[in-house]
Amino acid sequence: MSIDRHAALAPYAARADASRGRLHPEEPSSSRNAFQRDRDRIVHSSAFRRLEYKTQVFVNHEGDLFRTRLTHSLEVAQIARSIARNLRLNEDLVEAISLAHDLGHTPFGHAGQDALDDCMKPHGGFEHNLQSLRVVDVLEERYGAFDGLNLCFETREGILKHCSVEHAKQLGEVGLRFIERKQPSLEAQLANLADEIAYNNHDIDDGLRSGLLTIEQMMTIDLFRRHALVVKSLYPDIPQRRMILETVRRMINELIVDVTETSRAQIAAANPASLAEVREAGRLIGFSDGIHAEAVALKRFLRKELYYHYRVQRMAAKAKRIVRELFGAFDGNPDLLPAEHSARLRVLGARAIADYVAGMTDRYAIREHVRLFAIEG
Ligand code: MG
């Protein structure tokens, strides 16, 4: 069997040996295909290690059992790979995209991203998804021959989930599909949906664990209630914590089965003979209409009851203040930055501050804020 495992791949799957290649041409590896190599570069990057200390919903120091960006990314990869194998898509590519998809996230989750975007408004804004691409294309510094990780086109296109036409025009080939309104690979479509499956479910688990959500509230959500009732009838005396986990496990399974079956049918109907034909087709990876409606209802619920819970919002307000004040302190003051970042600030202006702040972990940002603003620190 070749390292690309061609025999197992469907004709519509992305193939490593047919990749559009890297920005800087490299000799192929003798032991790994190009997408495996991308995945390995991502896992060895410093941005990947920093995901361990970045907020998903709960700030990292709030509890050891909550998801972080790292465990979230691992769950996305697991879900995406399961579905990929069932659809005979390229598991190596979907894994690489999943592990890299959040590399550009700021500290403190969406609160951090919103604050940094506000600070960067006069300088073209800040968008975590574009930043993920910037991390792998430019910011990682570990190879002699090039900046960034020099990943394959297909991995980079998967990382760039969404993008305005304006930004797309500045990105060259990888942005072209947003201008031409074409689809990315099925692996990219799948990683995107696996992200949604992962966070909807783990946010229920974390929300209940934190006490910000209650079982009574969750029972108003069809997707949860359906499985919770089955679990209770199968195991009447089950302790609540196990009931929740058993319910969430069943929800994830139902979503995975639904995506697999719906996508399989949609792929069969469109019948793409190659990745090129996938790009011309409509979106082929998705939920059935019924599950889609339930997933939308769940998302709306989580937004209202968890992400906008006053305790989450208090932390978010604090986080925004930290990001805003860090940015403000550095803006126009290169002398306050560590040498490598002050040198970049002199060349790149505000973008260098955004790169520095976005790269911080939660606790690094908090410490840096103390170092800059506390009289005694
Ligand atoms: Mg994500």
Side-chain angles (χ1 to χ4, degrees):
M1 191 159 66
S2 84
I3 52 175
D4 213 10
R5 290 184 293 192
H6 292 155
L9 292 177
Y12 45 78
R15 285 173 53 154
D17 65 350
S19 167
R20 286 197 201 170
R22 306 175 186 279
L23 290 175
H24 308 276
E26 291 183 63
E27 284 296 313
S29 156
S30 58
S31 58
R32 296 165 297 168
N33 70 50
F35 299 147
Q36 287 178 294
R37 201 178 192 187
D38 281 5
R39 177 206 53 211
D40 297 348
R41 287 182 177 189
I42 291 158
V43 169
H44 287 276
S45 70
S46 83
F48 186 72
R49 285 193 297 283
R50 274 178 272 150
L51 294 176
E52 184 175 2
Y53 301 104
K54 289 191 173 196
T55 293
Q56 183 67 26
V57 172
F58 296 90
V59 173
N60 185 260
H61 62 251
E62 290 183 293
D64 288 348
L65 291 178
F66 296 127
R67 267 67 175 190
T68 65
R69 290 255 166 233
L70 179 63
T71 60
H72 161 70
S73 300
L74 295 174
E75 290 183 32
V76 174
Q78 178 273 314
I79 291 168
R81 283 187 57 188
S82 292
I83 301 171
R85 187 175 298 194
N86 286 328
L87 295 175
R88 293 197 296 134
L89 295 175
N90 196 310
E91 273 185 68
D92 299 322
L93 176 59
V94 88
E95 185 180 21
I97 296 169
S98 301
L99 294 177
H101 84 283
D102 271 353
L103 290 179
H105 257 289
T106 60
F108 312 121
H110 283 277
Q113 128 95 31
D114 292 349
L116 192 53
D117 185 35
D118 278 348
C119 297
M120 286 297 287
K121 274 276 141 63
H123 315 284
F126 178 89
E127 214 283 311
H128 65 82
N129 192 226
L130 282 173
Q131 190 72 6
S132 295
L133 188 65
R134 187 167 163 79
V135 166
V136 301
D137 278 358
V138 181
L139 297 179
E140 279 290 320
E141 294 177 338
R142 33 191 326 112
Y143 299 96
F146 44 77
D147 287 340
L149 304 179
N150 198 31
L151 303 181
C152 294
F153 173 84
E154 293 74 13
T155 310
R156 298 172 60 237
E157 125 181 292
I159 292 172
L160 191 65
K161 281 193 288 200
H162 38 75
C163 177
S164 67
V165 170
E166 212 148 292
H167 281 134
K169 284 179 187 161
Q170 299 160 21
L171 291 172
E173 198 188 2
V174 77
L176 216 52
R177 75 178 168 93
F178 297 97
I179 299 165
E180 296 175 344
R181 297 183 169 278
K182 288 187 182 167
Q183 297 297 327
S185 67
L186 295 174
E187 288 80 358
Q189 296 179 38
L190 175 53
N192 196 6
L193 204 62
D195 184 23
E196 191 179 320
I197 295 175
Y199 67 67
N200 278 335
N201 287 284
H202 64 49
D203 288 352
I204 293 174
D205 180 15
D206 285 353
L208 289 168
R209 185 189 302 278
S210 66
L212 301 191
L213 296 177
T214 64
I215 295 277
E216 292 68 36
Q217 280 179 307
M218 286 313 308
M219 291 302 265
T220 65
I221 299 300
D222 292 341
L223 192 57
F224 184 90
R225 185 184 147 83
R226 182 160 70 241
H227 292 289
L229 291 178
V230 172
V231 172
K232 279 185 175 172
S233 74
L234 283 174
Y235 314 103
D237 300 321
I238 194 168
Q240 178 155 300
R241 190 69 221 139
R242 274 167 79 158
M243 189 279 271
I244 293 165
L245 296 173
E246 179 68 33
T247 301
V248 170
R249 177 180 88 78
R250 285 162 185 262
M251 284 172 64
I252 296 177
N253 188 57
E254 183 180 8
L255 296 173
I256 288 179
V257 169
D258 184 79
V259 170
T260 306
E261 286 172 359
T262 307
S263 305
R264 188 178 280 140
Q266 289 178 168
I267 292 167
N271 197 23
S274 63
L275 174 52
E277 289 188 22
V278 165
R279 295 183 191 285
E280 303 293 331
R283 192 153 280 255
L284 298 178
I285 302 288
F287 292 125
S288 62
D289 291 345
I291 290 287
H292 175 73
E294 288 189 346
V296 169
L298 172 60
K299 251 180 163 168
R300 204 176 294 136
F301 166 85
L302 286 171
R303 192 179 170 77
K304 182 163 172 278
E305 306 297 340
L306 182 61
Y307 311 145
Y308 279 86
H309 191 287
Y310 81 94
R311 278 172 51 197
V312 174
Q313 284 299 305
R314 280 183 185 184
M315 198 59 226
K318 245 193 263 187
K320 283 184 181 176
R321 206 179 72 225
I322 290 174
V323 167
R324 254 195 326 265
E325 291 180 356
L326 285 176
F327 189 94
F330 298 136
D331 198 12
N333 285 315
D335 296 345
L336 296 183
L337 283 161
E340 66 169 294
H341 295 286
S342 73
R344 294 186 76 241
L345 175 56
R346 288 173 221 278
V347 179
L348 293 175
R351 185 60 56 191
I353 305 176
D355 289 338
Y356 180 45
V357 174
M360 293 179 184
T361 60
D362 296 355
R363 59 185 187 174
Y364 185 90
I366 292 168
R367 277 189 216 146
E368 189 73 334
H369 189 266
V370 168
R371 282 191 287 261
L372 282 161
F373 290 97
I375 302 300
E376 290 176 46

